mmCIF file of all heavy atoms in Angstrom:
data_model
loop_
_atom_site.group_PDB
_atom_site.id
_atom_site.type_symbol
_atom_site.label_atom_id
_atom_site.label_comp_id
_atom_site.label_asym_id
_atom_site.label_seq_id
_atom_site.Cartn_x
_atom_site.Cartn_y
_atom_site.Cartn_z
ATOM 1 N N SER A 1 38.395 -39.406 -35.363
ATOM 2 C CA SER A 1 39.084 -39.702 -34.100
ATOM 3 C C SER A 1 40.594 -39.721 -34.194
ATOM 4 O O SER A 1 41.272 -39.650 -33.175
ATOM 5 C CB SER A 1 38.613 -41.066 -33.565
ATOM 6 O OG SER A 1 37.244 -41.029 -33.222
ATOM 7 N N SER A 2 41.151 -39.841 -35.389
ATOM 8 C CA SER A 2 42.600 -39.975 -35.501
ATOM 9 C C SER A 2 43.140 -39.185 -36.678
ATOM 10 O O SER A 2 42.395 -38.719 -37.542
ATOM 11 C CB SER A 2 42.982 -41.456 -35.654
ATOM 12 O OG SER A 2 42.508 -41.972 -36.889
ATOM 13 N N MET A 3 44.453 -39.037 -36.690
ATOM 14 C CA MET A 3 45.154 -38.421 -37.815
ATOM 15 C C MET A 3 46.339 -39.311 -38.161
ATOM 16 O O MET A 3 47.048 -39.780 -37.262
ATOM 17 C CB MET A 3 45.634 -37.022 -37.465
ATOM 18 C CG MET A 3 46.283 -36.281 -38.640
ATOM 19 S SD MET A 3 46.871 -34.623 -38.212
ATOM 20 C CE MET A 3 48.408 -35.032 -37.360
ATOM 21 N N GLU A 4 46.540 -39.546 -39.448
ATOM 22 C CA GLU A 4 47.633 -40.408 -39.908
ATOM 23 C C GLU A 4 48.612 -39.621 -40.771
ATOM 24 O O GLU A 4 48.212 -38.728 -41.527
ATOM 25 C CB GLU A 4 47.084 -41.592 -40.711
ATOM 26 C CG GLU A 4 46.480 -42.702 -39.872
ATOM 27 C CD GLU A 4 45.188 -42.296 -39.184
ATOM 28 O OE1 GLU A 4 44.343 -41.650 -39.831
ATOM 29 O OE2 GLU A 4 45.043 -42.604 -37.977
ATOM 30 N N LEU A 5 49.871 -39.978 -40.655
ATOM 31 C CA LEU A 5 50.934 -39.407 -41.484
ATOM 32 C C LEU A 5 51.687 -40.540 -42.170
ATOM 33 O O LEU A 5 51.925 -41.585 -41.563
ATOM 34 C CB LEU A 5 51.921 -38.606 -40.636
ATOM 35 C CG LEU A 5 51.392 -37.412 -39.837
ATOM 36 C CD1 LEU A 5 52.498 -36.815 -38.980
ATOM 37 C CD2 LEU A 5 50.808 -36.356 -40.762
ATOM 38 N N ALA A 6 52.047 -40.318 -43.438
ATOM 39 C CA ALA A 6 52.830 -41.317 -44.172
ATOM 40 C C ALA A 6 53.747 -40.606 -45.159
ATOM 41 O O ALA A 6 53.325 -39.682 -45.855
ATOM 42 C CB ALA A 6 51.926 -42.296 -44.903
ATOM 43 N N GLU A 7 54.989 -41.054 -45.204
ATOM 44 C CA GLU A 7 55.932 -40.498 -46.163
ATOM 45 C C GLU A 7 55.689 -41.094 -47.548
ATOM 46 O O GLU A 7 55.447 -42.299 -47.677
ATOM 47 C CB GLU A 7 57.364 -40.800 -45.720
ATOM 48 C CG GLU A 7 57.765 -40.107 -44.428
ATOM 49 C CD GLU A 7 59.173 -40.448 -43.994
ATOM 50 O OE1 GLU A 7 59.658 -41.542 -44.373
ATOM 51 O OE2 GLU A 7 59.791 -39.643 -43.283
ATOM 52 N N LEU A 8 55.759 -40.251 -48.579
ATOM 53 C CA LEU A 8 55.591 -40.684 -49.962
ATOM 54 C C LEU A 8 56.842 -40.331 -50.746
ATOM 55 O O LEU A 8 57.281 -39.174 -50.747
ATOM 56 C CB LEU A 8 54.382 -39.992 -50.604
ATOM 57 C CG LEU A 8 53.030 -40.167 -49.900
ATOM 58 C CD1 LEU A 8 51.963 -39.332 -50.582
ATOM 59 C CD2 LEU A 8 52.622 -41.627 -49.871
ATOM 60 N N SER A 9 57.424 -41.334 -51.405
ATOM 61 C CA SER A 9 58.628 -41.081 -52.197
ATOM 62 C C SER A 9 58.852 -42.225 -53.165
ATOM 63 O O SER A 9 58.680 -43.394 -52.815
ATOM 64 C CB SER A 9 59.845 -40.944 -51.267
ATOM 65 O OG SER A 9 61.010 -40.661 -52.015
ATOM 66 N N GLY A 10 59.211 -41.885 -54.397
ATOM 67 C CA GLY A 10 59.530 -42.905 -55.391
ATOM 68 C C GLY A 10 58.381 -43.840 -55.695
ATOM 69 O O GLY A 10 58.605 -45.001 -56.030
ATOM 70 N N GLY A 11 57.157 -43.353 -55.611
ATOM 71 C CA GLY A 11 55.993 -44.188 -55.898
ATOM 72 C C GLY A 11 55.678 -45.192 -54.805
ATOM 73 O O GLY A 11 54.898 -46.127 -55.027
ATOM 74 N N ARG A 12 56.223 -45.002 -53.620
ATOM 75 C CA ARG A 12 56.013 -45.926 -52.504
ATOM 76 C C ARG A 12 55.606 -45.176 -51.247
ATOM 77 O O ARG A 12 55.914 -43.999 -51.084
ATOM 78 C CB ARG A 12 57.298 -46.720 -52.211
ATOM 79 C CG ARG A 12 57.810 -47.545 -53.372
ATOM 80 C CD ARG A 12 56.955 -48.764 -53.627
ATOM 81 N NE ARG A 12 57.443 -49.551 -54.752
ATOM 82 C CZ ARG A 12 56.824 -50.624 -55.219
ATOM 83 N NH1 ARG A 12 55.698 -51.027 -54.661
ATOM 84 N NH2 ARG A 12 57.314 -51.292 -56.244
ATOM 85 N N VAL A 13 54.943 -45.895 -50.346
ATOM 86 C CA VAL A 13 54.627 -45.364 -49.027
ATOM 87 C C VAL A 13 55.724 -45.809 -48.070
ATOM 88 O O VAL A 13 56.031 -46.999 -47.970
ATOM 89 C CB VAL A 13 53.261 -45.866 -48.529
ATOM 90 C CG1 VAL A 13 52.949 -45.301 -47.144
ATOM 91 C CG2 VAL A 13 52.157 -45.489 -49.514
ATOM 92 N N GLY A 14 56.310 -44.853 -47.373
ATOM 93 C CA GLY A 14 57.380 -45.161 -46.433
ATOM 94 C C GLY A 14 56.877 -45.243 -44.999
ATOM 95 O O GLY A 14 55.844 -45.853 -44.721
ATOM 96 N N SER A 15 57.565 -44.597 -44.095
ATOM 97 C CA SER A 15 57.197 -44.620 -42.676
ATOM 98 C C SER A 15 55.794 -44.061 -42.483
ATOM 99 O O SER A 15 55.413 -43.073 -43.118
ATOM 100 C CB SER A 15 58.202 -43.808 -41.857
ATOM 101 O OG SER A 15 59.495 -44.354 -41.964
ATOM 102 N N ALA A 16 55.042 -44.691 -41.585
ATOM 103 C CA ALA A 16 53.657 -44.287 -41.347
ATOM 104 C C ALA A 16 53.355 -44.325 -39.855
ATOM 105 O O ALA A 16 53.761 -45.257 -39.157
ATOM 106 C CB ALA A 16 52.704 -45.221 -42.103
ATOM 107 N N VAL A 17 52.655 -43.295 -39.377
ATOM 108 C CA VAL A 17 52.307 -43.209 -37.960
ATOM 109 C C VAL A 17 50.879 -42.707 -37.809
ATOM 110 O O VAL A 17 50.307 -42.111 -38.726
ATOM 111 C CB VAL A 17 53.262 -42.276 -37.185
ATOM 112 C CG1 VAL A 17 54.669 -42.840 -37.156
ATOM 113 C CG2 VAL A 17 53.253 -40.869 -37.771
ATOM 114 N N SER A 18 50.312 -42.931 -36.632
ATOM 115 C CA SER A 18 48.946 -42.517 -36.346
ATOM 116 C C SER A 18 48.895 -41.871 -34.968
ATOM 117 O O SER A 18 49.635 -42.267 -34.057
ATOM 118 C CB SER A 18 48.008 -43.728 -36.394
ATOM 119 O OG SER A 18 46.675 -43.364 -36.073
ATOM 120 N N GLY A 19 48.033 -40.872 -34.821
ATOM 121 C CA GLY A 19 47.856 -40.210 -33.528
ATOM 122 C C GLY A 19 46.391 -39.877 -33.289
ATOM 123 O O GLY A 19 45.597 -39.785 -34.227
ATOM 124 N N LYS A 20 46.039 -39.676 -32.038
ATOM 125 C CA LYS A 20 44.637 -39.425 -31.660
ATOM 126 C C LYS A 20 44.335 -37.932 -31.734
ATOM 127 O O LYS A 20 44.096 -37.274 -30.717
ATOM 128 C CB LYS A 20 44.376 -39.997 -30.274
ATOM 129 C CG LYS A 20 44.576 -41.511 -30.199
ATOM 130 C CD LYS A 20 44.335 -42.049 -28.797
ATOM 131 C CE LYS A 20 44.556 -43.569 -28.748
ATOM 132 N NZ LYS A 20 44.302 -44.132 -27.400
ATOM 133 N N LEU A 21 44.318 -37.421 -32.956
ATOM 134 C CA LEU A 21 44.167 -35.985 -33.170
ATOM 135 C C LEU A 21 42.987 -35.640 -34.067
ATOM 136 O O LEU A 21 42.958 -34.567 -34.673
ATOM 137 C CB LEU A 21 45.459 -35.411 -33.758
ATOM 138 C CG LEU A 21 46.683 -35.418 -32.834
ATOM 139 C CD1 LEU A 21 47.918 -34.924 -33.573
ATOM 140 C CD2 LEU A 21 46.433 -34.564 -31.605
ATOM 141 N N GLY A 22 41.994 -36.532 -34.157
ATOM 142 C CA GLY A 22 40.793 -36.205 -34.913
ATOM 143 C C GLY A 22 39.931 -35.214 -34.159
ATOM 144 O O GLY A 22 39.939 -35.183 -32.918
ATOM 145 N N PRO A 23 39.172 -34.365 -34.862
ATOM 146 C CA PRO A 23 38.374 -33.335 -34.184
ATOM 147 C C PRO A 23 37.307 -33.888 -33.241
ATOM 148 O O PRO A 23 37.014 -33.264 -32.221
ATOM 149 C CB PRO A 23 37.754 -32.537 -35.333
ATOM 150 C CG PRO A 23 37.896 -33.396 -36.538
ATOM 151 C CD PRO A 23 39.097 -34.247 -36.318
ATOM 152 N N LEU A 24 36.712 -35.041 -33.561
ATOM 153 C CA LEU A 24 35.747 -35.627 -32.634
ATOM 154 C C LEU A 24 36.429 -36.011 -31.318
ATOM 155 O O LEU A 24 35.877 -35.825 -30.227
ATOM 156 C CB LEU A 24 35.084 -36.865 -33.251
ATOM 157 C CG LEU A 24 33.996 -36.641 -34.298
ATOM 158 C CD1 LEU A 24 33.516 -37.977 -34.853
ATOM 159 C CD2 LEU A 24 32.818 -35.866 -33.714
ATOM 160 N N LYS A 25 37.627 -36.553 -31.425
ATOM 161 C CA LYS A 25 38.395 -36.920 -30.232
ATOM 162 C C LYS A 25 38.757 -35.672 -29.427
ATOM 163 O O LYS A 25 38.639 -35.641 -28.194
ATOM 164 C CB LYS A 25 39.647 -37.677 -30.646
ATOM 165 C CG LYS A 25 40.612 -38.010 -29.516
ATOM 166 C CD LYS A 25 40.133 -39.162 -28.671
ATOM 167 C CE LYS A 25 40.254 -40.481 -29.405
ATOM 168 N NZ LYS A 25 39.898 -41.639 -28.553
ATOM 169 N N LEU A 26 39.179 -34.628 -30.123
ATOM 170 C CA LEU A 26 39.636 -33.420 -29.440
ATOM 171 C C LEU A 26 38.492 -32.608 -28.845
ATOM 172 O O LEU A 26 38.723 -31.754 -27.980
ATOM 173 C CB LEU A 26 40.450 -32.561 -30.410
ATOM 174 C CG LEU A 26 41.805 -33.165 -30.826
ATOM 175 C CD1 LEU A 26 42.405 -32.380 -31.978
ATOM 176 C CD2 LEU A 26 42.766 -33.205 -29.647
ATOM 177 N N GLN A 27 37.266 -32.842 -29.307
ATOM 178 C CA GLN A 27 36.122 -32.165 -28.695
ATOM 179 C C GLN A 27 35.997 -32.512 -27.209
ATOM 180 O O GLN A 27 35.436 -31.740 -26.431
ATOM 181 C CB GLN A 27 34.817 -32.543 -29.415
ATOM 182 C CG GLN A 27 34.585 -31.797 -30.706
ATOM 183 C CD GLN A 27 33.309 -32.228 -31.400
ATOM 184 O OE1 GLN A 27 32.766 -33.296 -31.142
ATOM 185 N NE2 GLN A 27 32.810 -31.385 -32.300
ATOM 186 N N GLY A 28 36.531 -33.679 -26.840
ATOM 187 C CA GLY A 28 36.445 -34.100 -25.446
ATOM 188 C C GLY A 28 37.479 -33.459 -24.551
ATOM 189 O O GLY A 28 37.433 -33.642 -23.323
ATOM 190 N N VAL A 29 38.409 -32.694 -25.136
ATOM 191 C CA VAL A 29 39.420 -31.993 -24.338
ATOM 192 C C VAL A 29 38.875 -30.611 -23.994
ATOM 193 O O VAL A 29 38.655 -29.789 -24.877
ATOM 194 C CB VAL A 29 40.751 -31.876 -25.107
ATOM 195 C CG1 VAL A 29 41.791 -31.147 -24.256
ATOM 196 C CG2 VAL A 29 41.250 -33.243 -25.540
ATOM 197 N N LYS A 30 38.643 -30.362 -22.728
ATOM 198 C CA LYS A 30 38.004 -29.125 -22.302
ATOM 199 C C LYS A 30 39.030 -28.003 -22.170
ATOM 200 O O LYS A 30 40.073 -28.171 -21.541
ATOM 201 C CB LYS A 30 37.283 -29.329 -20.964
ATOM 202 C CG LYS A 30 36.242 -30.434 -20.999
ATOM 203 C CD LYS A 30 35.204 -30.209 -22.096
ATOM 204 C CE LYS A 30 34.161 -31.327 -22.135
ATOM 205 N NZ LYS A 30 33.239 -31.174 -23.274
ATOM 206 N N GLY A 31 38.690 -26.854 -22.743
ATOM 207 C CA GLY A 31 39.541 -25.678 -22.661
ATOM 208 C C GLY A 31 40.467 -25.567 -23.848
ATOM 209 O O GLY A 31 41.124 -26.537 -24.235
ATOM 210 N N LYS A 32 40.547 -24.354 -24.426
ATOM 211 C CA LYS A 32 41.361 -24.168 -25.622
ATOM 212 C C LYS A 32 42.846 -24.384 -25.334
ATOM 213 O O LYS A 32 43.582 -24.948 -26.152
ATOM 214 C CB LYS A 32 41.138 -22.758 -26.179
ATOM 215 C CG LYS A 32 41.692 -22.571 -27.575
ATOM 216 C CD LYS A 32 41.176 -21.301 -28.226
ATOM 217 C CE LYS A 32 41.680 -21.194 -29.662
ATOM 218 N NZ LYS A 32 41.154 -19.983 -30.331
ATOM 219 N N GLY A 33 43.292 -23.956 -24.141
ATOM 220 C CA GLY A 33 44.693 -24.142 -23.788
ATOM 221 C C GLY A 33 45.061 -25.605 -23.662
ATOM 222 O O GLY A 33 46.123 -26.044 -24.132
ATOM 223 N N ALA A 34 44.169 -26.373 -23.029
ATOM 224 C CA ALA A 34 44.415 -27.806 -22.866
ATOM 225 C C ALA A 34 44.407 -28.508 -24.216
ATOM 226 O O ALA A 34 45.210 -29.418 -24.465
ATOM 227 C CB ALA A 34 43.363 -28.414 -21.947
ATOM 228 N N ARG A 35 43.512 -28.064 -25.104
ATOM 229 C CA ARG A 35 43.446 -28.678 -26.438
ATOM 230 C C ARG A 35 44.710 -28.366 -27.240
ATOM 231 O O ARG A 35 45.241 -29.234 -27.937
ATOM 232 C CB ARG A 35 42.202 -28.190 -27.181
ATOM 233 C CG ARG A 35 41.961 -28.921 -28.494
ATOM 234 C CD ARG A 35 40.589 -28.653 -29.050
ATOM 235 N NE ARG A 35 40.386 -27.265 -29.393
ATOM 236 C CZ ARG A 35 39.424 -26.492 -28.883
ATOM 237 N NH1 ARG A 35 38.589 -26.989 -27.984
ATOM 238 N NH2 ARG A 35 39.298 -25.223 -29.257
ATOM 239 N N LYS A 36 45.172 -27.125 -27.134
ATOM 240 C CA LYS A 36 46.410 -26.755 -27.831
ATOM 241 C C LYS A 36 47.574 -27.613 -27.340
ATOM 242 O O LYS A 36 48.392 -28.093 -28.148
ATOM 243 C CB LYS A 36 46.722 -25.275 -27.620
ATOM 244 C CG LYS A 36 47.989 -24.808 -28.341
ATOM 245 C CD LYS A 36 48.251 -23.326 -28.098
ATOM 246 C CE LYS A 36 49.466 -22.859 -28.878
ATOM 247 N NZ LYS A 36 50.699 -23.598 -28.509
ATOM 248 N N ALA A 37 47.658 -27.810 -26.040
ATOM 249 C CA ALA A 37 48.740 -28.635 -25.491
ATOM 250 C C ALA A 37 48.636 -30.074 -25.981
ATOM 251 O O ALA A 37 49.656 -30.714 -26.301
ATOM 252 C CB ALA A 37 48.691 -28.585 -23.962
ATOM 253 N N GLU A 38 47.410 -30.593 -26.076
ATOM 254 C CA GLU A 38 47.183 -31.960 -26.563
ATOM 255 C C GLU A 38 47.614 -32.088 -28.022
ATOM 256 O O GLU A 38 48.276 -33.056 -28.416
ATOM 257 C CB GLU A 38 45.693 -32.303 -26.427
ATOM 258 C CG GLU A 38 45.332 -33.705 -26.835
ATOM 259 C CD GLU A 38 45.509 -34.718 -25.718
ATOM 260 O OE1 GLU A 38 45.841 -34.308 -24.591
ATOM 261 O OE2 GLU A 38 45.319 -35.913 -25.975
ATOM 262 N N ILE A 39 47.261 -31.078 -28.840
ATOM 263 C CA ILE A 39 47.626 -31.098 -30.259
ATOM 264 C C ILE A 39 49.142 -30.994 -30.418
ATOM 265 O O ILE A 39 49.764 -31.753 -31.175
ATOM 266 C CB ILE A 39 46.917 -29.959 -31.014
ATOM 267 C CG1 ILE A 39 45.399 -30.184 -31.029
ATOM 268 C CG2 ILE A 39 47.446 -29.859 -32.453
ATOM 269 C CD1 ILE A 39 44.606 -28.994 -31.526
ATOM 270 N N ASP A 40 49.747 -30.053 -29.684
ATOM 271 C CA ASP A 40 51.202 -29.859 -29.777
ATOM 272 C C ASP A 40 51.951 -31.141 -29.416
ATOM 273 O O ASP A 40 52.891 -31.547 -30.117
ATOM 274 C CB ASP A 40 51.646 -28.727 -28.850
ATOM 275 C CG ASP A 40 51.253 -27.351 -29.361
ATOM 276 O OD1 ASP A 40 50.816 -27.269 -30.527
ATOM 277 O OD2 ASP A 40 51.367 -26.374 -28.605
ATOM 278 N N ALA A 41 51.526 -31.780 -28.338
ATOM 279 C CA ALA A 41 52.196 -32.999 -27.892
ATOM 280 C C ALA A 41 52.003 -34.132 -28.894
ATOM 281 O O ALA A 41 52.942 -34.887 -29.186
ATOM 282 C CB ALA A 41 51.659 -33.409 -26.523
ATOM 283 N N GLY A 42 50.790 -34.245 -29.437
ATOM 284 C CA GLY A 42 50.500 -35.310 -30.399
ATOM 285 C C GLY A 42 51.283 -35.163 -31.682
ATOM 286 O O GLY A 42 51.853 -36.138 -32.197
#
């Protein structure tokens, strides 16, 4: 349901964010164009 990003540097985790870009979540977006727009925005 989600995708997470985290910066890695110097043996530490830095800034971290999460977005609703998991494939199960995106299956609910109808139409390839609409899904692309959802992914791009996320």
